């Protein structure tokens, strides 16, 4: 008989939370009782799991000592408000919000730095990085022994689903209004999102950087264990429902051996390499899939020490929910 | 009495050609006779100019000795086929297709390297660079004395109008089909363009680079007169009708003085700088305008020698038609 675990999912009605519950079922995760939790607005809703509808309860009323592991898939404020209660009750925490400092809850991508989990003390606290950092880490990890990366420049064109269901609805509504030549009334976004690109996702700080960009940089450095890596990141909001697409330019210490890079990516877990000439897209390839798609692997036009690539992955699934469940699969071995 | 000039526009029925004719009228360009030319498919159509409909004729039957200046706004094949005839007839050529080598027809952006025109011999041949190169050159030119640029990394998210009217129609049609839950049948694009990003525009060469990317790099170097500048470029096809958006990361030889950069951009011609915190977009700002919009000017998160920016401009107007007409305004001074 397999041992089972009592699992809590906070933010269970959100895009990531709901996908996370689906993946727990798909992967036959050894769930005993599943506690679905959310803020008071969503409490009372229900989410399907193993053929039953599980009722969503208020996180504020939950006794975390009932759970052995909790996924925090709501925003940073919810993590900051309730993760300490979980930890105090001895419940392992997997945070997807980026709210916890790396020293307290190290960001982990199983394909890149699973060994970090072995060094954790109970009660475990670990972070599942932002989708862009996860995507990048999965692809850069297998190249670590092969190329000496001096600098990473990345433009992450992000799907609106990163901002939740309201953002998805608003892109659809704005698009329909424009196609029907009705006046556009932005609501969730502060301007036209349909057939447009927004230069930033969230408010920038005094130096001009958004939280998402800083999170990408810090998490990537932490996961790859390269604290001094130079990273330039711009997160752009694209009129795409699901699936992030990244253009990545790496500056290397020496000319790149493209054949070796292709072989390493082919052999690595979590990556699907698309052959030269063709390329993957969010909608056509990545959405609903468990891998990061990589394509357009090429050196610079006349700089052999430049390595460029195009990456696309399901931001909700591969970039968030699946990574968190994979972390849980590794952590429960140490909860036994 | 003002002197007038006989002007030919080849590709007069295309998105760029039609805008070019509009701009000739808007700027009261001293046109005597306007010859509108196109391939046999479009001949017979007419384009409005100064309150009249000007009939489009077949370029193949045109006697270029009738014109003093010809704009080539069709594809590279048309330029290669007919620009030599124009030159042989003593007609000045402004090519927008990128087909002519830089030694023969130097790429010029008036805000960046207008002085090149003074060195030209009759009959003049000059190139109006690709929209992305034009956009970048307008913004980097005023920074030349201020920062020492070691490397440029650019992701150009391009509007479908770059590919002409069929591409615009197809994005609209695909979007409507998806919103109406009808099966998607890609025609102009080989896959779903609506709510998606395509990793490349045009076919890549054996090394993985597209013509557009190589054109961007070579034209930028030529216009800025920095032949050894390292440039990494990725051109992405975005589901946007009009207006290109570029994320640009510059690596500098020394820490950047952001206040000085902002002052230089504020003072430079052809640029509208959007204040910190806010940002410009293609649809909301750039489309229909005669300037490149710049925003999100910032150093690196922890690298003071990194300069990042977001640029957006009307690819058809500022990036192509207007630049070509501005070149013509300068060239006719030497045709007098």
């Amino acid at each position: 008989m397999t041992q089972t675990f009592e699992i809590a999912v906070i933010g269970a009605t959100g895009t990531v939370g709901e996908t996370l519950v689906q993946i727990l079922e798909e992967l036959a995760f050894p769930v005993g009782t599943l506690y679905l939790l959310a803020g008071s607005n969503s409490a009372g809703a229900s989410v399907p799991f193993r053929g039953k509808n599980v009722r969503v309860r208020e996180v504020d009323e939950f006794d975390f000592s009932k759970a052995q592991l909790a996924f925090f898939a709501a925003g940073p404020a919810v993590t900051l408000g309730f993760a300490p209660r979980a930890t105090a009750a001895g419940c392992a925490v997997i945070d997807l919000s980026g709210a916890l400092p790396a020293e307290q809850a190290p960001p982990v991508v199983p394909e890149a730095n699973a060994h970090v989990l072995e060094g954790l003390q109970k009660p475990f606290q670990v972070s599942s990085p932002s989708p862009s950092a996860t995507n990048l880490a999965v692809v850069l990890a297998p190249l670590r022994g092969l190329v000496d990366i001096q600098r990473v420049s990345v433009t992450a064109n992000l799907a609106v689903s990163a901002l939740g269901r309201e953002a998805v609805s608003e892109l659809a509504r704005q698009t329909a209004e424009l196609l029907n030549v009705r006046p556009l009334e932005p609501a969730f976004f502060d301007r036209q999102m349909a057939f447009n690109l927004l230069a930033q996702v969230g408010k920038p700080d005094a130096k001009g950087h958004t939280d998402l960009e800083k999170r990408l940089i810090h998490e990537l450095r932490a996961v790859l264990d390269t604290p001094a890596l130079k990273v330039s990141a711009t997160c752009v909001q694209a009129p795409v429902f699901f699936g992030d697409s990244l253009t990545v330019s790496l500056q290397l210490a020496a000319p790149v051996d493209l054949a070796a890079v292709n072989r390493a990516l082919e052999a690595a877990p979590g990556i699907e390499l698309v052959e030269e000439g063709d390329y993957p897209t969010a909608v056509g390839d990545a959405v609903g899939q468990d891998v990061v798609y990589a394509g357009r692997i090429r050196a610079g036009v006349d700089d052999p020490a430049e390595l460029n690539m195009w990456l696309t992955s399901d931001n909700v699934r591969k970039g968030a929910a699946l990574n968190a469940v994979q972390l849980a699969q590794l952590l429960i071995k140490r909860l036994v």
Side-chain angles (χ1 to χ4, degrees), chain A:
Chain A
M1 196 186 141
T2 317
Q3 191 181 351
T4 60
F5 299 86
E6 321 313 319
I7 303 291
V9 178
I10 295 93
T13 58
T15 46
V16 172
E18 207 171 277
T19 303
L20 207 153
V21 172
Q22 256 176 45
I23 294 174
L24 289 174
E25 180 170 337
E26 284 173 28
L27 300 186
F29 193 91
V31 179
T33 306
L34 182 67
Y35 298 101
L36 300 185
L37 306 168
S40 52
N41 286 343
S42 301
S46 63
V47 171
F49 180 67
R50 294 185 185 159
K52 289 185 186 161
N53 283 322
V54 180
R55 188 147 181 131
V56 178
R57 308 179 196 192
E58 266 198 58
V59 59
D60 196 25
E61 292 165 4
F62 185 63
D63 172 7
F64 277 95
S65 69
K66 289 184 178 172
Q68 288 161 281
L69 189 150
F71 294 99
F72 282 82
V78 175
T79 295
L80 292 175
F82 298 98
R85 284 202 209 171
T87 301
C91 172
V93 167
I94 298 179
D95 179 40
L96 292 96
S97 78
L100 304 178
E103 307 74 47
Q104 180 185 338
V108 178
V109 173
E111 290 94 333
N113 65 335
H115 67 275
V116 166
L117 301 178
E118 288 155 31
L120 294 185
Q121 302 299 314
K122 286 186 187 177
F124 303 135
Q125 296 180 74
V126 58
S127 292
S128 185
S130 61
S132 301
T134 301
N135 184 336
L136 260 172
V138 165
V139 175
L140 298 188
L143 303 181
R144 280 178 292 193
L146 202 59
V147 295
D148 180 357
I149 302 172
Q150 309 275 294
R151 188 181 282 267
V152 179
S153 179
V154 55
T155 294
N157 282 313
L158 303 182
V160 296
S161 49
L163 302 175
R165 286 215 180 72
E166 272 185 89
V168 171
S169 306
E170 167 125 346
L171 173 57
R173 184 181 64 76
Q174 282 196 10
T175 306
E177 282 174 358
L178 288 167
L179 288 185
N180 291 301
V181 203
R182 284 200 301 260
L184 186 79
E185 288 172 14
F188 181 88
F189 294 104
D190 68 351
R191 61 192 85 192
Q192 183 176 332
M193 176 75 261
F195 307 114
N196 201 15
L197 293 159
L198 309 188
Q200 63 197 32
V201 182
K203 284 273 167 218
D205 64 17
K207 291 185 165 176
H209 305 284
T210 64
D211 284 347
L212 213 50
E213 288 160 354
K214 288 184 282 189
R215 197 179 163 196
L216 192 168
I217 294 171
H218 294 132
E219 289 173 340
L220 184 65
R221 287 172 176 162
V223 172
L224 297 179
D225 194 20
T226 52
L229 184 64
K230 287 187 189 294
V231 184
S232 162
T234 303
C235 293
V236 173
Q237 190 70 70
V240 169
F241 290 112
F242 293 94
D244 292 346
S245 298
L246 279 63
T247 63
V248 184
S249 183
L250 307 175
Q251 200 175 316
L252 310 178
V256 61
D257 177 347
L258 284 175
V261 165
N262 278 301
R263 279 194 304 273
L265 295 177
E266 284 273 15
I271 302 173
E272 178 75 25
L273 183 65
V274 173
E275 65 204 12
E276 268 178 68
D278 198 6
Y279 58 87
T281 74
V283 168
D285 300 281
V287 171
Q289 299 302 312
D290 292 350
V291 292
V292 177
Y293 283 80
R296 296 209 69 198
I297 310 294
R298 62 199 195 280
V301 162
D302 43 24
D303 182 357
E306 191 184 295
L307 174 58
N308 299 295
M309 51 181 77
W310 164 266
L311 308 179
T312 181
S313 72
D314 186 324
N315 55 310
V316 171
R317 188 178 174 90
K318 178 63 180 169
L322 178 65
N323 194 69
V325 173
Q326 287 173 332
L327 292 176
Q329 287 178 317
L330 296 169
L331 279 184
I332 56 170
K333 293 179 187 164
R334 295 192 54 208
L335 285 177
V336 177

